[in-house]
């Protein structure tokens, strides 16, 4: 900061503090233009005397507001200290900001960041565009720009572009981070980059970023990226794979006794577990699989439970099964998340919706009380009327209500 001229002590007193602060705010808003005036509400006696001295006009003690033109203040300071208003403010508290220029520069940089992101091959995806819109609308992009962290947006886009498109391909997070950023630790939990990418993935699945670590890990897994191949699991019943390995033996034994079994991604990758060709049913809630195990035991058809959004282990198991000729019959809750899960399964694995029609929904809706639908609506491409019926009723139906029909479908003949 420049050396303060002699005599400035007066300007740090009560009579000047608010007046000069108001002048600085006005000048920073107008790029330093010395026009217009500033005012003080409910002035103190010291402020009243200062304004009288600057303007040369008497102001009564009863005055509720005192106004001073910037040109008068500039002239007074120049005559008394040899420095005008702009110079004086600079000596006292540092250079003035040019806020209009800063905003213009920020707007330019914002447009550049968004233009770069919109040049991505993902730009045609509705979830991607919605993610960028939300970053711009909720102030995230502005905060990144002001912190000098705008390159994180481009880095997040590169991460999203590197996510596997092949359902059976699983990518460890450190590898994904290295490919996208050159830093294997760029996506460790809690980093700003991880937060940005998880927001995009949540936008893609139609939900929010989970608060708990397990939920965030599941969100990564839904995109084919894993932090821990032992933590990624899938719950199964009646899966009888072909193969002469320890895990295949375990699965066949569990199926023969009607015992539910949890497979880890590590087991799937290392033991080459591929279910035999045939029909595989997929449900969302463990209660369905538990009921099948209890009532059907070894007589249950092959059943896989996603336990919400499918894990990487679940996707790998089913993708490998489909490649060997298995037919997937997929269902989830009648809520917006369930429609998204099912639509993704149809697109990703060629699954056939299982009791996920408009007629199934309406029949189940009439069988008892339901909970209100929450979150953003979703489509049902396999049966467009289903989403319309759900919007019309505003009610969700959990798949447990369909248990009798589901168990009948699962009974092996």
């Amino acid at each position: 900061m420049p050396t303060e001229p002699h005599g400035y002590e007066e300007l740090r007193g009560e009579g000047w503090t608010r007046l000069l602060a108001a002048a600085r705010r006005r000048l920073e808003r107008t790029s330093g233009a010395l026009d217009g005036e500033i005012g003080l509400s409910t002035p103190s006696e010291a402020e009243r005397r200062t304004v009288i001295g600057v303007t040369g006009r008497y102001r009564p003690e009863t005055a509720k507001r005192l106004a001073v033109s910037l040109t008068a203040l500039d002239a007074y300071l120049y005559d008394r200290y040899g420095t005008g208003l702009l110079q004086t403010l600079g000596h006292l508290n540092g250079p003035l900001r040019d806020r209009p220029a800063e905003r213009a520069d920020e707007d330019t940089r914002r447009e550049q960041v968004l233009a770069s992101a919109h040049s991505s091959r993902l730009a045609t995806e509705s979830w991607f565009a919605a993610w960028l819109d939300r970053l711009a609308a909720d102030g995230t992009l502005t905060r990144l720009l002001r912190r000098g962290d705008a390159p994180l947006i481009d880095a997040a886009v590169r991460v999203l572009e590197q996510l596997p498109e092949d359902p059976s391909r699983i990518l460890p997070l450190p590898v994904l981070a290295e490919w996208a950023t050159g830093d294997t630790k760029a996506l460790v939990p809690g980093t700003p980059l991880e937060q940005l990418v998880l927001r995009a993935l949540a936008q893609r699945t139609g939900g929010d970023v989970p608060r708990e670590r397990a939920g965030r890990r599941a969100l990564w897994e839904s995109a084919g990226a894993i932090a821990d191949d032992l933590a990624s699991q899938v719950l199964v019943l009646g899966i009888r794979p072909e193969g002469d390995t320890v895990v295949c033996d375990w699965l066949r034994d569990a199926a023969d006794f009607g015992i539910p079994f949890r497979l880890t991604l590590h087991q799937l990758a290392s033991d080459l577990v591929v279910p035999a060709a045939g029909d595989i049913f997929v449900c969302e809630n463990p209660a369905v699989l538990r009921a099948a195990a209890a009532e059907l035991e070894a007589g249950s058809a092959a059943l896989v439970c996603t336990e919400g959004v499918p894990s990487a282990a679940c996707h790998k198991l089913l993708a490998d099964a489909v490649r060997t000729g298995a037919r997937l019959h997929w269902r989830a809750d009648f809520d917006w998340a369930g429609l998204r899960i099912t639509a993704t399964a149809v697109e990703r694995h060629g699954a056939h919706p299982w009791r996920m029609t408009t007629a199934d929904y309406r029949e189940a809706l009439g069988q008892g009380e339901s909970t209100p639908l929450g979150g953003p609506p979703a489509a049902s491409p396999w049966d467009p009327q289903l989403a319309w019926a759900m919007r019309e009723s505003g009610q969700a139906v959990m798949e447990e209500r369909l248990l009798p029909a589901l168990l009948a479908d699962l009974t092996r003949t």
Side-chain angles (χ1 to χ4, degrees), residues 28-72:
E28 288 185 338
R29 287 198 305 268
T30 61
S31 300
L34 290 170
D35 53 13
E37 63 180 24
I38 54 175
L40 295 177
S41 299
T42 60
S44 67
E45 176 62 18
E47 290 171 336
R48 184 178 74 90
R49 291 180 179 277
T50 295
V51 171
I52 292 174
V54 170
T55 62
R57 290 192 295 120
Y58 177 74
R59 308 297 172 91
E61 295 178 1
T62 56
K64 300 298 184 183
R65 185 178 185 278
L66 302 179
V68 181
S69 72
L70 291 176
T71 53

mmCIF file of all heavy atoms in Angstrom, residues 28-72:
data_model
loop_
_atom_site.group_PDB
_atom_site.id
_atom_site.type_symbol
_atom_site.label_atom_id
_atom_site.label_comp_id
_atom_site.label_asym_id
_atom_site.label_seq_id
_atom_site.Cartn_x
_atom_site.Cartn_y
_atom_site.Cartn_z
ATOM 1 N N GLU A 28 -16.787 2.160 -6.574
ATOM 2 C CA GLU A 28 -16.534 0.796 -7.059
ATOM 3 C C GLU A 28 -17.675 0.292 -7.926
ATOM 4 O O GLU A 28 -17.466 -0.511 -8.842
ATOM 5 C CB GLU A 28 -16.316 -0.147 -5.865
ATOM 6 C CG GLU A 28 -14.982 0.074 -5.177
ATOM 7 C CD GLU A 28 -14.709 -0.921 -4.074
ATOM 8 O OE1 GLU A 28 -15.693 -1.522 -3.556
ATOM 9 O OE2 GLU A 28 -13.530 -1.115 -3.715
ATOM 10 N N ARG A 29 -18.903 0.779 -7.660
ATOM 11 C CA ARG A 29 -20.057 0.369 -8.489
ATOM 12 C C ARG A 29 -20.072 1.079 -9.835
ATOM 13 O O ARG A 29 -20.694 0.592 -10.782
ATOM 14 C CB ARG A 29 -21.367 0.686 -7.761
ATOM 15 C CG ARG A 29 -21.678 -0.229 -6.596
ATOM 16 C CD ARG A 29 -23.158 -0.138 -6.230
ATOM 17 N NE ARG A 29 -23.575 1.222 -5.962
ATOM 18 C CZ ARG A 29 -23.572 1.796 -4.760
ATOM 19 N NH1 ARG A 29 -23.137 1.118 -3.709
ATOM 20 N NH2 ARG A 29 -23.989 3.041 -4.603
ATOM 21 N N THR A 30 -19.422 2.259 -9.921
ATOM 22 C CA THR A 30 -19.514 3.076 -11.135
ATOM 23 C C THR A 30 -18.177 3.222 -11.856
ATOM 24 O O THR A 30 -17.998 4.157 -12.646
ATOM 25 C CB THR A 30 -20.052 4.477 -10.779
ATOM 26 O OG1 THR A 30 -19.134 5.106 -9.866
ATOM 27 C CG2 THR A 30 -21.425 4.386 -10.145
ATOM 28 N N SER A 31 -17.254 2.310 -11.575
ATOM 29 C CA SER A 31 -15.934 2.338 -12.221
ATOM 30 C C SER A 31 -15.193 3.643 -11.972
ATOM 31 O O SER A 31 -14.454 4.152 -12.822
ATOM 32 C CB SER A 31 -16.064 2.087 -13.732
ATOM 33 O OG SER A 31 -16.643 0.823 -13.979
ATOM 34 N N GLY A 32 -15.411 4.253 -10.789
ATOM 35 C CA GLY A 32 -14.661 5.452 -10.406
ATOM 36 C C GLY A 32 -15.224 6.750 -10.926
ATOM 37 O O GLY A 32 -14.541 7.787 -10.855
ATOM 38 N N ALA A 33 -16.469 6.753 -11.422
ATOM 39 C CA ALA A 33 -17.051 7.994 -11.957
ATOM 40 C C ALA A 33 -17.402 8.947 -10.818
ATOM 41 O O ALA A 33 -18.128 8.594 -9.889
ATOM 42 C CB ALA A 33 -18.311 7.665 -12.762
ATOM 43 N N LEU A 34 -16.885 10.201 -10.915
ATOM 44 C CA LEU A 34 -17.111 11.200 -9.866
ATOM 45 C C LEU A 34 -18.378 11.997 -10.147
ATOM 46 O O LEU A 34 -18.359 13.240 -10.272
ATOM 47 C CB LEU A 34 -15.901 12.137 -9.769
ATOM 48 C CG LEU A 34 -14.624 11.521 -9.209
ATOM 49 C CD1 LEU A 34 -13.452 12.466 -9.390
ATOM 50 C CD2 LEU A 34 -14.813 11.170 -7.736
ATOM 51 N N ASP A 35 -19.490 11.308 -10.253
ATOM 52 C CA ASP A 35 -20.758 12.010 -10.443
ATOM 53 C C ASP A 35 -21.755 11.491 -9.416
ATOM 54 O O ASP A 35 -21.542 10.470 -8.770
ATOM 55 C CB ASP A 35 -21.295 11.820 -11.867
ATOM 56 C CG ASP A 35 -21.382 10.343 -12.250
ATOM 57 O OD1 ASP A 35 -21.261 9.484 -11.355
ATOM 58 O OD2 ASP A 35 -21.562 10.049 -13.435
ATOM 59 N N GLY A 36 -22.836 12.229 -9.248
ATOM 60 C CA GLY A 36 -23.825 11.833 -8.270
ATOM 61 C C GLY A 36 -23.401 12.217 -6.867
ATOM 62 O O GLY A 36 -22.473 13.002 -6.649
ATOM 63 N N GLU A 37 -24.107 11.676 -5.878
ATOM 64 C CA GLU A 37 -23.835 12.018 -4.498
ATOM 65 C C GLU A 37 -23.970 10.797 -3.606
ATOM 66 O O GLU A 37 -24.495 9.757 -4.016
ATOM 67 C CB GLU A 37 -24.794 13.117 -4.019
ATOM 68 C CG GLU A 37 -26.260 12.678 -4.023
ATOM 69 C CD GLU A 37 -27.194 13.783 -3.538
ATOM 70 O OE1 GLU A 37 -26.817 14.971 -3.642
ATOM 71 O OE2 GLU A 37 -28.291 13.450 -3.050
ATOM 72 N N ILE A 38 -23.469 10.937 -2.397
ATOM 73 C CA ILE A 38 -23.608 9.894 -1.392
ATOM 74 C C ILE A 38 -24.311 10.502 -0.198
ATOM 75 O O ILE A 38 -24.357 11.730 -0.049
ATOM 76 C CB ILE A 38 -22.240 9.336 -0.955
ATOM 77 C CG1 ILE A 38 -21.313 10.447 -0.501
ATOM 78 C CG2 ILE A 38 -21.619 8.519 -2.087
ATOM 79 C CD1 ILE A 38 -19.992 9.958 0.052
ATOM 80 N N GLY A 39 -24.891 9.660 0.645
ATOM 81 C CA GLY A 39 -25.635 10.187 1.774
ATOM 82 C C GLY A 39 -25.388 9.401 3.042
ATOM 83 O O GLY A 39 -24.971 8.235 2.999
ATOM 84 N N LEU A 40 -25.632 10.048 4.170
ATOM 85 C CA LEU A 40 -25.522 9.421 5.485
ATOM 86 C C LEU A 40 -26.857 9.560 6.192
ATOM 87 O O LEU A 40 -27.386 10.659 6.342
ATOM 88 C CB LEU A 40 -24.433 10.096 6.319
ATOM 89 C CG LEU A 40 -22.987 9.979 5.825
ATOM 90 C CD1 LEU A 40 -22.065 10.774 6.758
ATOM 91 C CD2 LEU A 40 -22.557 8.522 5.775
ATOM 92 N N SER A 41 -27.414 8.434 6.652
ATOM 93 C CA SER A 41 -28.662 8.466 7.407
ATOM 94 C C SER A 41 -28.351 8.565 8.893
ATOM 95 O O SER A 41 -27.341 8.029 9.365
ATOM 96 C CB SER A 41 -29.474 7.195 7.133
ATOM 97 O OG SER A 41 -29.803 7.097 5.767
ATOM 98 N N THR A 42 -29.227 9.238 9.610
ATOM 99 C CA THR A 42 -29.070 9.453 11.055
ATOM 100 C C THR A 42 -27.619 9.793 11.404
ATOM 101 O O THR A 42 -26.949 9.040 12.112
ATOM 102 C CB THR A 42 -29.552 8.231 11.855
ATOM 103 O OG1 THR A 42 -28.783 7.085 11.461
ATOM 104 C CG2 THR A 42 -31.032 7.959 11.612
ATOM 105 N N PRO A 43 -27.108 10.893 10.880
ATOM 106 C CA PRO A 43 -25.688 11.240 11.094
ATOM 107 C C PRO A 43 -25.400 11.608 12.553
ATOM 108 O O PRO A 43 -26.244 12.124 13.282
ATOM 109 C CB PRO A 43 -25.490 12.453 10.186
ATOM 110 C CG PRO A 43 -26.844 13.070 10.102
ATOM 111 C CD PRO A 43 -27.815 11.932 10.103
ATOM 112 N N SER A 44 -24.167 11.306 12.946
ATOM 113 C CA SER A 44 -23.706 11.717 14.270
ATOM 114 C C SER A 44 -23.299 13.199 14.210
ATOM 115 O O SER A 44 -23.209 13.795 13.129
ATOM 116 C CB SER A 44 -22.520 10.863 14.700
ATOM 117 O OG SER A 44 -21.398 11.136 13.869
ATOM 118 N N GLU A 45 -23.021 13.770 15.379
ATOM 119 C CA GLU A 45 -22.601 15.166 15.408
ATOM 120 C C GLU A 45 -21.277 15.348 14.666
ATOM 121 O O GLU A 45 -21.090 16.332 13.935
ATOM 122 C CB GLU A 45 -22.459 15.628 16.862
ATOM 123 C CG GLU A 45 -21.943 17.046 17.034
ATOM 124 C CD GLU A 45 -22.860 18.115 16.428
ATOM 125 O OE1 GLU A 45 -24.055 17.806 16.165
ATOM 126 O OE2 GLU A 45 -22.394 19.248 16.199
ATOM 127 N N ALA A 46 -20.362 14.395 14.823
ATOM 128 C CA ALA A 46 -19.078 14.500 14.138
ATOM 129 C C ALA A 46 -19.271 14.423 12.631
ATOM 130 O O ALA A 46 -18.607 15.153 11.863
ATOM 131 C CB ALA A 46 -18.147 13.378 14.617
ATOM 132 N N GLU A 47 -20.172 13.586 12.168
ATOM 133 C CA GLU A 47 -20.436 13.477 10.725
ATOM 134 C C GLU A 47 -21.094 14.747 10.199
ATOM 135 O O GLU A 47 -20.804 15.188 9.074
ATOM 136 C CB GLU A 47 -21.313 12.238 10.466
ATOM 137 C CG GLU A 47 -20.574 10.933 10.684
ATOM 138 C CD GLU A 47 -21.488 9.716 10.651
ATOM 139 O OE1 GLU A 47 -22.705 9.858 10.909
ATOM 140 O OE2 GLU A 47 -20.967 8.615 10.377
ATOM 141 N N ARG A 48 -22.001 15.331 10.984
ATOM 142 C CA ARG A 48 -22.653 16.575 10.548
ATOM 143 C C ARG A 48 -21.610 17.678 10.366
ATOM 144 O O ARG A 48 -21.635 18.417 9.374
ATOM 145 C CB ARG A 48 -23.706 16.983 11.588
ATOM 146 C CG ARG A 48 -24.528 18.209 11.192
ATOM 147 C CD ARG A 48 -25.562 18.507 12.259
ATOM 148 N NE ARG A 48 -24.928 19.097 13.443
ATOM 149 C CZ ARG A 48 -24.748 20.415 13.613
ATOM 150 N NH1 ARG A 48 -25.126 21.281 12.676
ATOM 151 N NH2 ARG A 48 -24.184 20.861 14.717
ATOM 152 N N ARG A 49 -20.675 17.773 11.302
ATOM 153 C CA ARG A 49 -19.652 18.817 11.196
ATOM 154 C C ARG A 49 -18.732 18.572 9.996
ATOM 155 O O ARG A 49 -18.310 19.512 9.313
ATOM 156 C CB ARG A 49 -18.832 18.864 12.478
ATOM 157 C CG ARG A 49 -19.612 19.381 13.669
ATOM 158 C CD ARG A 49 -18.760 19.422 14.925
ATOM 159 N NE ARG A 49 -19.505 19.946 16.058
ATOM 160 C CZ ARG A 49 -19.686 21.236 16.314
ATOM 161 N NH1 ARG A 49 -19.147 22.147 15.499
ATOM 162 N NH2 ARG A 49 -20.383 21.629 17.363
ATOM 163 N N THR A 50 -18.441 17.289 9.717
ATOM 164 C CA THR A 50 -17.600 16.959 8.553
ATOM 165 C C THR A 50 -18.283 17.388 7.272
ATOM 166 O O THR A 50 -17.660 17.995 6.379
ATOM 167 C CB THR A 50 -17.305 15.446 8.529
ATOM 168 O OG1 THR A 50 -16.526 15.104 9.673
ATOM 169 C CG2 THR A 50 -16.544 15.074 7.264
ATOM 170 N N VAL A 51 -19.572 17.070 7.129
ATOM 171 C CA VAL A 51 -20.309 17.413 5.911
ATOM 172 C C VAL A 51 -20.391 18.932 5.755
ATOM 173 O O VAL A 51 -20.256 19.476 4.643
ATOM 174 C CB VAL A 51 -21.711 16.771 5.936
ATOM 175 C CG1 VAL A 51 -22.569 17.305 4.784
ATOM 176 C CG2 VAL A 51 -21.597 15.256 5.852
ATOM 177 N N ILE A 52 -20.590 19.639 6.857
ATOM 178 C CA ILE A 52 -20.616 21.105 6.778
ATOM 179 C C ILE A 52 -19.269 21.627 6.283
ATOM 180 O O ILE A 52 -19.195 22.518 5.431
ATOM 181 C CB ILE A 52 -20.964 21.711 8.163
ATOM 182 C CG1 ILE A 52 -22.404 21.393 8.529
ATOM 183 C CG2 ILE A 52 -20.718 23.222 8.162
ATOM 184 C CD1 ILE A 52 -22.794 21.828 9.940
ATOM 185 N N GLY A 53 -18.196 21.046 6.807
ATOM 186 C CA GLY A 53 -16.868 21.478 6.381
ATOM 187 C C GLY A 53 -16.605 21.196 4.914
ATOM 188 O O GLY A 53 -15.971 22.001 4.209
ATOM 189 N N VAL A 54 -17.078 20.036 4.409
ATOM 190 C CA VAL A 54 -16.852 19.665 3.011
ATOM 191 C C VAL A 54 -17.673 20.529 2.073
ATOM 192 O O VAL A 54 -17.183 21.004 1.033
ATOM 193 C CB VAL A 54 -17.189 18.162 2.801
ATOM 194 C CG1 VAL A 54 -17.205 17.818 1.309
ATOM 195 C CG2 VAL A 54 -16.185 17.291 3.540
ATOM 196 N N THR A 55 -18.934 20.776 2.419
ATOM 197 C CA THR A 55 -19.844 21.472 1.493
ATOM 198 C C THR A 55 -19.870 22.979 1.694
ATOM 199 O O THR A 55 -20.280 23.719 0.796
ATOM 200 C CB THR A 55 -21.276 20.933 1.671
ATOM 201 O OG1 THR A 55 -21.718 21.195 3.021
ATOM 202 C CG2 THR A 55 -21.319 19.445 1.402
ATOM 203 N N GLY A 56 -19.452 23.442 2.891
ATOM 204 C CA GLY A 56 -19.522 24.886 3.173
ATOM 205 C C GLY A 56 -20.924 25.357 3.443
ATOM 206 O O GLY A 56 -21.190 26.567 3.437
ATOM 207 N N ARG A 57 -21.852 24.408 3.690
ATOM 208 C CA ARG A 57 -23.245 24.785 3.949
ATOM 209 C C ARG A 57 -23.663 24.237 5.306
ATOM 210 O O ARG A 57 -23.358 23.092 5.653
ATOM 211 C CB ARG A 57 -24.181 24.237 2.868
ATOM 212 C CG ARG A 57 -24.009 24.925 1.516
ATOM 213 C CD ARG A 57 -25.139 24.586 0.546
ATOM 214 N NE ARG A 57 -25.161 23.175 0.194
ATOM 215 C CZ ARG A 57 -26.182 22.363 0.430
ATOM 216 N NH1 ARG A 57 -27.253 22.827 1.064
ATOM 217 N NH2 ARG A 57 -26.118 21.119 0.070
ATOM 218 N N TYR A 58 -24.402 25.060 6.044
ATOM 219 C CA TYR A 58 -24.856 24.657 7.371
ATOM 220 C C TYR A 58 -25.914 23.557 7.268
ATOM 221 O O TYR A 58 -26.798 23.609 6.406
ATOM 222 C CB TYR A 58 -25.428 25.859 8.122
ATOM 223 C CG TYR A 58 -25.988 25.491 9.479
ATOM 224 C CD1 TYR A 58 -25.138 25.190 10.537
ATOM 225 C CD2 TYR A 58 -27.368 25.422 9.678
ATOM 226 C CE1 TYR A 58 -25.648 24.844 11.792
ATOM 227 C CE2 TYR A 58 -27.883 25.077 10.922
ATOM 228 C CZ TYR A 58 -27.014 24.770 11.974
ATOM 229 O OH TYR A 58 -27.520 24.412 13.193
ATOM 230 N N ARG A 59 -25.826 22.577 8.140
ATOM 231 C CA ARG A 59 -26.840 21.525 8.237
ATOM 232 C C ARG A 59 -27.314 21.470 9.692
ATOM 233 O O ARG A 59 -26.499 21.355 10.614
ATOM 234 C CB ARG A 59 -26.253 20.166 7.851
ATOM 235 C CG ARG A 59 -25.534 20.153 6.506
ATOM 236 C CD ARG A 59 -26.487 20.462 5.348
ATOM 237 N NE ARG A 59 -25.755 20.629 4.116
ATOM 238 C CZ ARG A 59 -25.499 19.635 3.259
ATOM 239 N NH1 ARG A 59 -25.905 18.424 3.527
ATOM 240 N NH2 ARG A 59 -24.848 19.889 2.150
ATOM 241 N N PRO A 60 -28.630 21.564 9.912
ATOM 242 C CA PRO A 60 -29.135 21.592 11.298
ATOM 243 C C PRO A 60 -28.926 20.263 12.010
ATOM 244 O O PRO A 60 -28.806 19.213 11.383
ATOM 245 C CB PRO A 60 -30.626 21.892 11.121
ATOM 246 C CG PRO A 60 -30.951 21.386 9.756
ATOM 247 C CD PRO A 60 -29.726 21.642 8.925
ATOM 248 N N GLU A 61 -28.909 20.312 13.314
ATOM 249 C CA GLU A 61 -28.728 19.104 14.109
ATOM 250 C C GLU A 61 -29.893 18.139 13.940
ATOM 251 O O GLU A 61 -29.762 16.937 14.222
ATOM 252 C CB GLU A 61 -28.582 19.482 15.594
ATOM 253 C CG GLU A 61 -27.340 20.295 15.889
ATOM 254 C CD GLU A 61 -27.254 20.684 17.348
ATOM 255 O OE1 GLU A 61 -28.160 20.288 18.119
ATOM 256 O OE2 GLU A 61 -26.296 21.368 17.729
ATOM 257 N N THR A 62 -31.024 18.615 13.484
ATOM 258 C CA THR A 62 -32.215 17.754 13.319
ATOM 259 C C THR A 62 -32.215 16.996 11.990
ATOM 260 O O THR A 62 -33.127 16.202 11.741
ATOM 261 C CB THR A 62 -33.487 18.606 13.411
ATOM 262 O OG1 THR A 62 -33.414 19.660 12.436
ATOM 263 C CG2 THR A 62 -33.636 19.202 14.794
ATOM 264 N N ALA A 63 -31.235 17.241 11.145
ATOM 265 C CA ALA A 63 -31.214 16.592 9.821
ATOM 266 C C ALA A 63 -31.126 15.065 9.959
ATOM 267 O O ALA A 63 -30.288 14.548 10.699
ATOM 268 C CB ALA A 63 -30.037 17.104 9.011
ATOM 269 N N LYS A 64 -32.022 14.346 9.265
ATOM 270 C CA LYS A 64 -32.030 12.889 9.321
ATOM 271 C C LYS A 64 -31.126 12.260 8.263
ATOM 272 O O LYS A 64 -30.733 11.097 8.383
ATOM 273 C CB LYS A 64 -33.460 12.363 9.104
ATOM 274 C CG LYS A 64 -34.448 12.843 10.145
ATOM 275 C CD LYS A 64 -34.066 12.355 11.539
ATOM 276 C CE LYS A 64 -35.102 12.762 12.577
ATOM 277 N NZ LYS A 64 -34.713 12.350 13.943
ATOM 278 N N ARG A 65 -30.821 13.017 7.244
ATOM 279 C CA ARG A 65 -29.937 12.509 6.187
ATOM 280 C C ARG A 65 -29.110 13.666 5.639
ATOM 281 O O ARG A 65 -29.639 14.748 5.380
ATOM 282 C CB ARG A 65 -30.736 11.848 5.068
ATOM 283 C CG ARG A 65 -29.861 11.201 3.995
ATOM 284 C CD ARG A 65 -30.716 10.518 2.921
ATOM 285 N NE ARG A 65 -29.906 9.798 1.967
ATOM 286 C CZ ARG A 65 -29.279 10.345 0.925
ATOM 287 N NH1 ARG A 65 -29.400 11.653 0.701
ATOM 288 N NH2 ARG A 65 -28.551 9.605 0.108
ATOM 289 N N LEU A 66 -27.835 13.390 5.424
ATOM 290 C CA LEU A 66 -26.935 14.392 4.853
ATOM 291 C C LEU A 66 -26.390 13.876 3.527
ATOM 292 O O LEU A 66 -25.926 12.736 3.443
ATOM 293 C CB LEU A 66 -25.777 14.670 5.810
ATOM 294 C CG LEU A 66 -26.142 15.159 7.218
ATOM 295 C CD1 LEU A 66 -24.885 15.355 8.050
ATOM 296 C CD2 LEU A 66 -26.938 16.462 7.130
ATOM 297 N N ALA A 67 -26.457 14.709 2.510
ATOM 298 C CA ALA A 67 -25.960 14.328 1.187
ATOM 299 C C ALA A 67 -24.752 15.170 0.820
ATOM 300 O O ALA A 67 -24.679 16.367 1.137
ATOM 301 C CB ALA A 67 -27.053 14.483 0.142
ATOM 302 N N VAL A 68 -23.800 14.507 0.135
ATOM 303 C CA VAL A 68 -22.577 15.181 -0.318
ATOM 304 C C VAL A 68 -22.294 14.729 -1.744
ATOM 305 O O VAL A 68 -22.297 13.529 -2.036
ATOM 306 C CB VAL A 68 -21.370 14.824 0.580
ATOM 307 C CG1 VAL A 68 -20.122 15.563 0.107
ATOM 308 C CG2 VAL A 68 -21.664 15.126 2.028
ATOM 309 N N SER A 69 -22.050 15.687 -2.634
ATOM 310 C CA SER A 69 -21.693 15.299 -3.997
ATOM 311 C C SER A 69 -20.249 14.799 -4.024
ATOM 312 O O SER A 69 -19.402 15.276 -3.254
ATOM 313 C CB SER A 69 -21.859 16.478 -4.954
ATOM 314 O OG SER A 69 -20.838 17.438 -4.740
ATOM 315 N N LEU A 70 -19.986 13.853 -4.891
ATOM 316 C CA LEU A 70 -18.632 13.303 -4.993
ATOM 317 C C LEU A 70 -17.645 14.346 -5.490
ATOM 318 O O LEU A 70 -16.468 14.346 -5.103
ATOM 319 C CB LEU A 70 -18.636 12.077 -5.900
ATOM 320 C CG LEU A 70 -19.359 10.847 -5.351
ATOM 321 C CD1 LEU A 70 -19.375 9.738 -6.399
ATOM 322 C CD2 LEU A 70 -18.686 10.347 -4.080
ATOM 323 N N THR A 71 -18.101 15.234 -6.347
ATOM 324 C CA THR A 71 -17.182 16.274 -6.852
ATOM 325 C C THR A 71 -16.775 17.219 -5.723
ATOM 326 O O THR A 71 -15.622 17.664 -5.647
ATOM 327 C CB THR A 71 -17.844 17.060 -7.989
ATOM 328 O OG1 THR A 71 -19.122 17.561 -7.551
ATOM 329 C CG2 THR A 71 -18.031 16.188 -9.217
ATOM 330 N N ALA A 72 -17.738 17.536 -4.812
ATOM 331 C CA ALA A 72 -17.410 18.408 -3.683
ATOM 332 C C ALA A 72 -16.423 17.717 -2.745
ATOM 333 O O ALA A 72 -15.468 18.343 -2.255
ATOM 334 C CB ALA A 72 -18.686 18.784 -2.926
#
